[in-house]
Amino acid sequence: MLDIADELNRWVEQGRDFAVATVVGVGGSAPRQPGAALAVDRDGTAIGSVSGGCVEGAVYELCQQALETGEPVLEQFGYSDEDAFAVGLTCGGIIDILVTPVRASAPEPSQGPDDPSAPVDSTSRTLVAAVAAAVSAEAAALARIVSGPADLLGRALLVRADGSRAGSLGGHPELDRTALQETRALLDAGRTTTVEIGADGSRCGVPLTLLVESSVPAPRMLVFGAIDFAAALVRAGKFLGYRVTVCDARPVFATQARFPDADEIVVDWPHRYLDSQELDPRAVLCVLTHDAKFDVPLLERALRLPVAYVGAMGSRRTHLDRLRRLREAGLTDLELNRLRSPIGLDLGARTPEETALSIAAEIVAARRGGTGTPLTGAHTPIHHDTSVTARRIGSVA
């Protein structure tokens, strides 16, 4: 749901009621991961997607149904060999969809922000708060009950980075405490996942499942070296959703005119700028200077940081010389093995745009656990995803 927060926020500002359908479980070769969402307002306007087109029509109708009844709906879609014309996923996968009605103008609670009465209004307020947090780039995580007791289905809890919360899962207070702890841990990691809570942990007498969606500021891409290849990589980084910074020690090259798409342009020695930054594990660093006086002190620091990706441009001869210099600087083989150099996948790239595509492809493969090999004739999964997994806590043997 948080992926379409910008448009949903406009709907909220306009006072539109809507229903949001969210992928809450997947099996097999499903086209979208948990958290993907489609929303429909009372006028029939739709935004987002839950399946890339396979079941959008049926989910659209479920949204309209939820708007009429005011009740959440949980539905599973799969593929049936016996009935090829039935609504389902032609890819052979299975997805579970939770549809929740949202009243944009839900009245304020009479008993405080966690009042479990009037479930629709309480859930609506929490989901609207989650949309606002996502739009403002506030770090927050939304936990929703996606399987369990029917009267709790869809109930939501919003947890912010400072530990404050909004909403309630509507069961025993222990359930909120358990969900709060799990949700904060997932928020710290910036992860979206499902969490299965056993009967003891839920205190509802039955197990239940939460979908936790983390909304965190955009991951960072730091591009060092203000060259023509960097301009193309900035555009690719923005397309992938990164907050992109270009850094170069030469003010004549590091200009807004040359990099209009960059979020930030810094004139400084690359290693000195990197020393001043606090980066999370999602950050990617692309070193395009291929000049030893810039590269070596920068990579000496970069390869010791807990970031997602460090790549450096240059020929194979440059790469070997760079490794020699970095070993002399004291880096271990384990640290050097993190370096992607020469940077990018082998696409036969020539132009800056093609080179940017090869770098972006390598970053995606590293992020998602892909191999970078052609899918034709391969037996590897089509949809890799290392960021969405399931956790089980409080289970009963």
Side-chain angles (χ1 to χ4, degrees):
M1 185 186 79
L2 303 181
D3 290 342
I4 54 174
D6 286 338
E7 186 63 32
L8 289 182
N9 190 56
R10 283 189 281 273
W11 286 6
V12 171
E13 291 174 344
Q14 295 165 3
R16 297 199 229 177
D17 293 343
F18 56 90
V20 58
T22 308
V23 176
V24 298
V26 300
S29 184
R32 302 297 303 276
Q33 289 296 316
L38 177 147
V40 179
D41 72 357
R42 287 198 181 275
D43 294 332
T45 302
I47 56 173
S49 171
V50 292
S51 70
C54 300
V55 299
E56 308 297 300
V59 174
Y60 181 91
E61 293 179 3
L62 287 176
C63 287
Q64 292 182 313
Q65 172 187 325
L67 280 169
E68 290 299 319
T69 64
E71 297 292 333
V73 180
L74 181 63
E75 189 79 24
Q76 184 174 92
F77 294 91
Y79 179 73
S80 171
D81 289 328
E82 288 75 24
D83 186 358
F85 293 99
V87 174
L89 301 177
T90 57
C91 58
I94 296 172
I95 56 173
D96 295 317
I97 304 288
L98 174 67
V99 182
T100 308
V102 179
R103 296 177 57 190
S105 55
E108 290 301 313
S110 58
Q111 303 175 24
D114 299 328
D115 175 18
S117 62
V120 172
D121 289 345
S122 176
T123 299
S124 292
R125 287 190 303 272
T126 306
L127 295 182
V128 167
V131 166
V135 169
S136 65
E138 175 189 356
L142 178 67
R144 283 185 282 172
I145 297 177
V146 298
S147 75
D151 60 330
L152 299 183
L153 188 64
R155 296 300 299 269
L157 176 70
L158 177 68
V159 179
R160 300 183 178 88
D162 61 5
S164 63
R165 62 190 179 96
S168 170
L169 298 182
H172 193 282
E174 182 65 25
L175 173 57
D176 277 353
R177 284 193 289 270
T178 300
L180 178 62
Q181 293 172 352
E182 289 297 308
T183 303
R184 289 191 66 178
L186 292 169
L187 175 59
D188 288 343
R191 294 176 57 204
T192 290
T193 184
T194 53
V195 177
E196 297 183 12
I197 301 178
D200 285 352
S202 71
R203 297 298 177 91
C204 301
V206 294
L208 54 79
T209 304
L210 304 179
L211 171 68
V212 179
E213 297 177 78
S214 293
S215 173
V216 292
R220 295 192 63 188
M221 173 184 283
L222 276 59
V223 180
F224 297 98
I227 63 176
D228 51 352
F229 288 89
L233 182 57
V234 168
R235 293 193 294 273
K238 292 296 295 180
F239 178 75
L240 292 177
Y242 286 93
R243 175 184 156 215
V244 185
T245 298
V246 175
C247 176
D248 197 299
R250 302 164 296 181
V252 68
F253 295 115
T255 66
Q256 186 68 45
R258 297 189 73 223
F259 300 96
D261 299 306
D263 295 289
E264 181 183 30
I265 300 171
V266 176
V267 178
D268 199 352
W269 279 77
H271 72 275
R272 187 164 59 190
Y273 174 71
L274 184 61
D275 283 342
S276 71
Q277 300 302 295
E278 293 185 8
L279 302 177
D280 68 28
R282 302 174 300 150
V284 300
L285 280 57
C286 302
V287 181
L288 309 186
T289 50
H290 50 79
D291 184 328
K293 68 176 178 290
F294 294 121
D295 289 0
V296 174
L298 173 60
L299 290 171
E300 182 183 351
R301 292 158 172 80
L303 292 172
R304 288 169 171 160
L305 293 176
V307 295
Y309 175 92
V310 180
M313 178 176 278
S315 67
R316 297 193 184 280
R317 178 180 296 178
T318 299
H319 171 66
L320 293 175
D321 179 67
R322 184 186 289 139
L323 290 180
R324 178 184 60 80
R325 292 172 184 268
L326 289 171
R327 284 194 178 94
E328 290 174 353
L331 269 72
T332 66
D333 286 342
L334 184 62
E335 290 166 336
L336 292 173
N337 286 339
R338 299 184 58 217
L339 177 61
R340 307 285 184 133
S341 174
I343 196 171
L345 298 183
D346 180 13
L347 304 183
R350 291 286 185 178
T351 68
E353 290 74 19
E354 290 172 348
T355 302
L357 178 61
S358 78
I359 297 171
E362 185 174 54
I363 290 171
V364 172
R367 177 183 178 186
R368 299 297 188 190
T371 64
T373 58
L375 291 173
T376 303
H379 299 286
T380 55
I382 294 176
H383 302 292
H384 292 264
D385 202 320
T386 57
S387 65
V388 180
T389 57
R391 300 180 64 190
R392 290 175 174 82
I393 64 171
S395 4
V396 178

